[in-house]
Amino acid sequence: MKQSNIFKVFTVITIVFISFLGCQNKQQKKQSVDSIAKNLYQEPHRSQLHFSPQANWMNDPNGMFYDKGKYHLFYQYYPDSTVWGPMHWGHAESKDLVHWKELPIALYPDSLGCIFSGSAVVDTYNTSKLGTAENPPIIAAFTHHDFVGEKAKTNDFQKQSIAYSLDGGYEWQKYSGNPVIPNKEKIKDFRDPKVVWHEASQKWILVLAAYDRVKFYASANLTDWEFLSDFGIEGDHRLWECPDLFQMKVADSNEYKWVLLVSIQKNAPNDGTATSYFVGEFDGIKFNSEVESQKWLDWGTDNYAFVTWNNVPKDDGRVLGIGWMSNWQYAQIVPTVNWRSTMTLPRELTLVKSASNYALHSTLVREFEQLRNTTTALGQMTITQEKLIEGSFTASQAEVDLSVDLQQTTASAFGIKLQNELGEKLVIKFDKKEGQMFVDRTNSRKDKFSDEFFKNVHAAPIDFNKEKMNMRLIIDAASIEIFINEGALSFTSIFFPSEKFSAISLFADSGVCNFSNLEVHHLNSIWEVQE
Ligand code: FRU
C-alpha cells in the first residue's frame, strides 16, 4: 500500500473510533442529564405540574411568543444563586403549555446593564428590517438596568432596548442602536416594555411602567419609538410594573375591548404584590378605562407579573398568559433548596360583560387535562362537621385536579381542608355571613420562615346569591390554584408544609352543606414525559 493510502485508512479508522466514543459519550451524558433531571424534579416542594427552572432564581415571565408549534417562555433568571441578582433571560419551550423543556440562557447582561422584564413579538413582515422577508425576526424588548447608574443615583439607569433572533428565538443579538427608548425624563422606575401590534394605526405599540402609571409609545419598525400618552389613577402612587395591553372579544358578542394589565408591587388586596386590570378603549394614542375601578385578575397573593403570549394563531383565537407564582414579600426566603420560584399554570383569559361591567375571567388552558390519570368520582356528599375524601391523595400521586359543586346550605360556613399528619393545614372556607372566601395558610407549616407569609388569613369576595357554585382546585406540591365558577374568580396561593399534605377533607360549620358532582382527578407529573 502506498504511504498516502495507509494514511487514509488510518484516518478513517480514527474517525470511526472517535464517533463511536462520541456516541457512547452522548449516551452517557444523556443518561446522566436524565438522572440529574429526575432527582432535581423530585426535591421537597418541587412543583410537579408547573414550570420551574432546574436550579437557581427565577421571577417574572418575559418575552412569551408562539411560533412554529412551540410556546416560548422566557423569564427573569439569575443563574448564580437562589436569590435575586443581576438578571438574565432564562428560556423554556413547550409544545402543549404543559410539558416544558428548559433551554440555554437567552439574554445575558452587557455593557448597558442587566436584563430586566420585557416582551417579544414575531415581526412577521420584517418591519424592523433586522431579518428578511423569508426569515422574519423575533424581536425582544426589555429593560436595561444599569447597577452603576443606580448606585450613583443618576435616576436614568433604566432604559428600553431590543434584541433580535433569526433562528426562532434560540440565539439572540442585541440591537446596535440600543437603547431604543432612553430615559430622558430620568424616571427611576421606567421598565418592563410590552409590545403589541395595533391594526387600526398599522403601528407597534409599546406600553411600559413608569413608577405610578404606564406610558404608551408607537413605532412603525420596532426601533424608532415616539411617545404617545400616559395612563394612571389620580391620587394613587403605588408602584406599577409589568404592564400588558391587548384587544379581545367580549364573550358571546361581536364587541371588542382593550385590556390593560398592570402588576402592583405593594398594598394589593391581601398585601404585597398582585396583577390588576382595566378594560376600555385604546385608540392608537390613549387608553381610556371604562370600568369604575381597577380590578384584580387573581385574589391570591401568588400570581404576579401576569402577561400574555404574542402570536397565538388566529384560528386558535385564545388569549393565553402566565404569572410568576410568588410575591416579593417572601419570594427570596421560601424554603426550597436548589431553586426559587415557579410559574402559575398557563391560563386562558375571557372577557365577560354583565349588565353593569366588564370582568376578566381566567381558567386553565384545556391542554392541562391531558395530565389526568385516574379519577375518583364521589358524586354527592352531605356534610355536617368534617369528612375525609377517601382516596383523594395517594402515596404516589399527591397532585390533583378537584372539582365540586357547592349548593345552598344551612351551614353558616363550609369548605375544604388540606392537611398532613403533623397537623399542618391549609383551609379554604366560604363564609356566608362575611360574603367571603378565606384561604388560611397561617398553619401550613410549623417552622415559620417569614412573618409576612404566615401573618394573615387571605380573603376574596364571593356572591352567595347564586344557587350553585362550582369550585375547581389544582393542588400541587407547594401550591393551590382555586377557580370559582369557571374562573369568574381565581385565587393562587403557595405553601410549604414540612411534609406533603396527605389528606383532603370537606367541612360544614353549624349546619349542613351539600357537595355534589365531586370528582378528584389524580395527575401525572409534567416531568415524567420530558423528551
Ligand atoms: C417585577 C420586577 C420588574 C423588573 C423585574 C426585575 O417583579 O420588579 O419590574 O423588571 O422584576 O427582576
Side-chain angles (χ1 to χ4, degrees):
M1 224 189 266
K2 272 203 207 145
Q3 216 175 351
S4 67
N5 280 350
I6 295 175
F7 181 70
K8 266 186 205 154
V9 170
F10 179 73
T11 313
V12 169
I13 291 173
T14 314
I15 290 172
V16 169
F17 185 64
I18 289 174
S19 9
F20 169 74
L21 282 185
C23 285
Q24 286 278 89
N25 221 343
K26 250 192 215 153
Q27 199 61 28
Q28 274 164 8
K29 248 195 209 145
K30 183 166 183 337
Q31 265 162 16
S32 66
V33 168
D34 284 352
S35 63
I36 291 171
K38 242 198 190 114
N39 291 336
L40 273 175
Y41 293 120
Q42 293 304 316
E43 305 101 325
H45 305 129
R46 174 69 87 170
S47 280
Q48 296 302 311
L49 311 173
H50 300 76
F51 175 76
S52 55
Q54 285 197 352
N56 294 315
W57 171 265
M58 174 179 82
N59 56 290
D60 316 350
N62 294 153
M64 295 122 66
F65 68 90
Y66 174 91
D67 190 38
K68 301 191 184 72
K70 303 257 175 74
Y71 294 92
H72 290 262
L73 167 66
F74 299 85
Y75 44 88
Q76 289 287 279
Y77 188 54
Y78 184 41
D80 297 329
S81 170
T82 51
V83 294
W84 191 87
M87 285 288 112
H88 301 51
W89 273 24
H91 187 192
E93 67 176 12
S94 170
K95 288 183 197 145
D96 57 9
L97 292 167
V98 175
H99 302 96
W100 294 95
K101 186 163 153 196
E102 190 170 335
L103 297 165
I105 289 177
L107 295 176
Y108 285 82
D110 58 40
S111 61
L112 292 177
C114 61
I115 317 294
F116 271 21
S117 285
S119 57
V121 291
V122 180
D123 182 16
T124 310
Y125 299 105
N126 191 28
T127 60
S128 61
K129 306 228 163 33
L130 291 168
T132 59
E134 301 73 44
N135 185 30
I138 317 280
I139 307 290
F142 58 89
T143 301
H144 259 128
H145 177 99
D146 169 23
F147 281 115
V148 180
E150 182 184 13
K151 248 200 184 142
K153 299 202 165 55
T154 58
N155 282 359
D156 63 352
F157 50 83
Q158 296 190 337
K159 296 164 187 166
Q160 319 317 316
S161 290
I162 64 172
Y164 58 99
S165 168
L166 302 177
D167 67 353
Y170 302 94
E171 301 269 335
W172 293 85
Q173 321 273 343
K174 307 259 177 51
Y175 175 59
S176 57
N178 281 339
V180 292
I181 304 183
N183 190 345
K184 286 197 195 121
E185 287 175 80
K186 295 188 188 282
I187 302 169
K188 234 169 77 208
D189 296 290
F190 186 66
R191 56 179 179 264
D192 309 339
K194 176 80 170 127
V195 179
V196 61
W197 176 249
H198 188 253
E199 189 64 31
S201 61
Q202 293 286 296
K203 291 254 169 80
W204 296 101
I205 301 296
L206 183 150
V207 56
L208 59 77
Y211 174 40
D212 54 0
R213 64 200 60 209
V214 292
K215 286 180 178 290
F216 298 101
Y217 297 79
S219 171
N221 59 8
L222 291 158
T223 50
D224 302 307
W225 293 94
E226 170 204 359
F227 172 71
L228 298 173
S229 63
D230 279 348
F231 173 80
I233 306 175
E234 257 206 60
D236 185 343
H237 301 300
R238 286 178 294 180
L239 180 67
W240 288 17
E241 295 183 312
C242 300
D244 194 355
L245 176 75
F246 47 89
Q247 193 183 33
M248 65 189 294
K249 201 166 176 226
V250 178
D252 306 318
S253 82
N254 289 321
E255 192 186 2
Y256 284 83
K257 285 281 156 196
W258 284 85
V259 174
L260 174 68
L261 298 181
V262 185
S263 281
I264 306 292
Q265 227 225 30
K266 255 194 195 140
N267 303 331
N270 285 300
D271 275 347
T273 58
T275 309
S276 72
Y277 68 91
F278 301 88
V279 182
E281 287 300 339
F282 181 75
D283 60 4
I285 296 173
K286 259 182 159 339
F287 179 80
N288 181 27
S289 175
E290 292 172 9
V291 285
E292 71 271 11
S293 62
Q294 184 177 28
K295 297 172 156 229
W296 301 101
L297 183 68
D298 191 308
W299 283 80
T301 48
D302 299 301
N303 183 353
Y304 194 58
F306 186 100
V307 283
T308 59
W309 259 276
N310 168 261
N311 203 41
V312 174
K314 284 221 165 64
D315 57 357
D316 179 314
R318 290 178 295 174
V319 178
L320 302 171
I322 201 167
W324 172 42
M325 198 158 60
S326 200
N327 188 309
W328 280 118
Q329 285 191 317
Y330 42 72
Q332 303 195 69
I333 47 170
V334 299
T336 52
V337 180
N338 287 324
W339 86 104
R340 273 215 182 84
S341 292
T342 302
M343 292 298 173
T344 66
L345 286 171
R347 312 255 173 108
E348 175 181 357
L349 302 183
T350 47
L351 188 57
V352 177
K353 188 179 183 178
S354 64
S356 57
N357 229 325
Y358 294 96
L360 203 51
H361 293 191
S362 62
T363 47
L364 288 185
V365 295
R366 56 176 175 262
E367 289 87 339
F368 182 74
E369 280 164 32
Q370 67 185 273
L371 292 178
R372 288 179 178 178
N373 183 340
T374 50
T375 295
T376 314
L378 289 144
Q380 158 110 15
M381 286 173 98
T382 302
I383 307 292
T384 51
Q385 298 180 338
E386 190 168 338
K387 190 168 174 12
L388 216 66
I389 307 179
E390 299 290 344
S392 48
F393 286 146
T394 64
S396 61
Q397 285 186 312
E399 289 76 44
V400 302
D401 178 351
L402 181 153
S403 162
V404 64
D405 289 336
L406 309 164
Q407 274 158 3
Q408 279 298 354
T409 64
T410 60
S412 61
F414 50 88
I416 198 156
K417 230 179 244 176
L418 315 185
Q419 51 203 316
N420 63 18
E421 281 176 3
L422 302 172
E424 296 171 334
K425 58 184 178 222
L426 177 117
V427 184
I428 303 165
K429 179 166 165 175
F430 295 86
D431 190 319
K432 289 206 289 195
K433 208 167 105 226
E434 301 284 336
Q436 306 257 40
M437 172 180 80
F438 293 106
V439 178
D440 181 355
R441 65 176 180 194
T442 57
N443 295 308
S444 59
R445 183 184 171 97
K446 289 219 163 93
D447 157 30
K448 309 248 184 301
F449 53 85
S450 137
D451 289 346
E452 296 300 336
F453 188 91
F454 295 99
K455 201 167 62 183
N456 293 324
V457 175
H458 299 148
I462 292 281
D463 176 7
F464 285 92
N465 293 323
K466 294 219 165 72
E467 207 184 296
K468 207 161 81 177
M469 183 165 61
N470 176 267
M471 170 168 74
R472 184 172 177 197
L473 303 180
I474 308 297
I475 304 166
D476 201 344
S479 64
I480 189 160
E481 281 152 289
I482 306 170
F483 300 94
I484 305 293
N485 294 339
E486 275 80 51
L489 183 135
S490 70
F491 196 110
T492 305
S493 202
I494 55 174
F495 46 72
F496 301 90
S498 328
E499 279 174 15
K500 261 190 174 181
F501 290 135
S502 49
I504 307 182
S505 56
L506 302 172
F507 68 88
D509 288 349
S510 335
V512 176
C513 179
N514 286 324
F515 293 83
S516 55
N517 300 320
L518 176 57
E519 280 190 348
V520 182
H521 305 280
H522 298 110
L523 302 171
N524 293 330
S525 165
I526 63 169
W527 305 120
E528 282 168 4
V529 216
Q530 280 272 3
E531 274 168 38

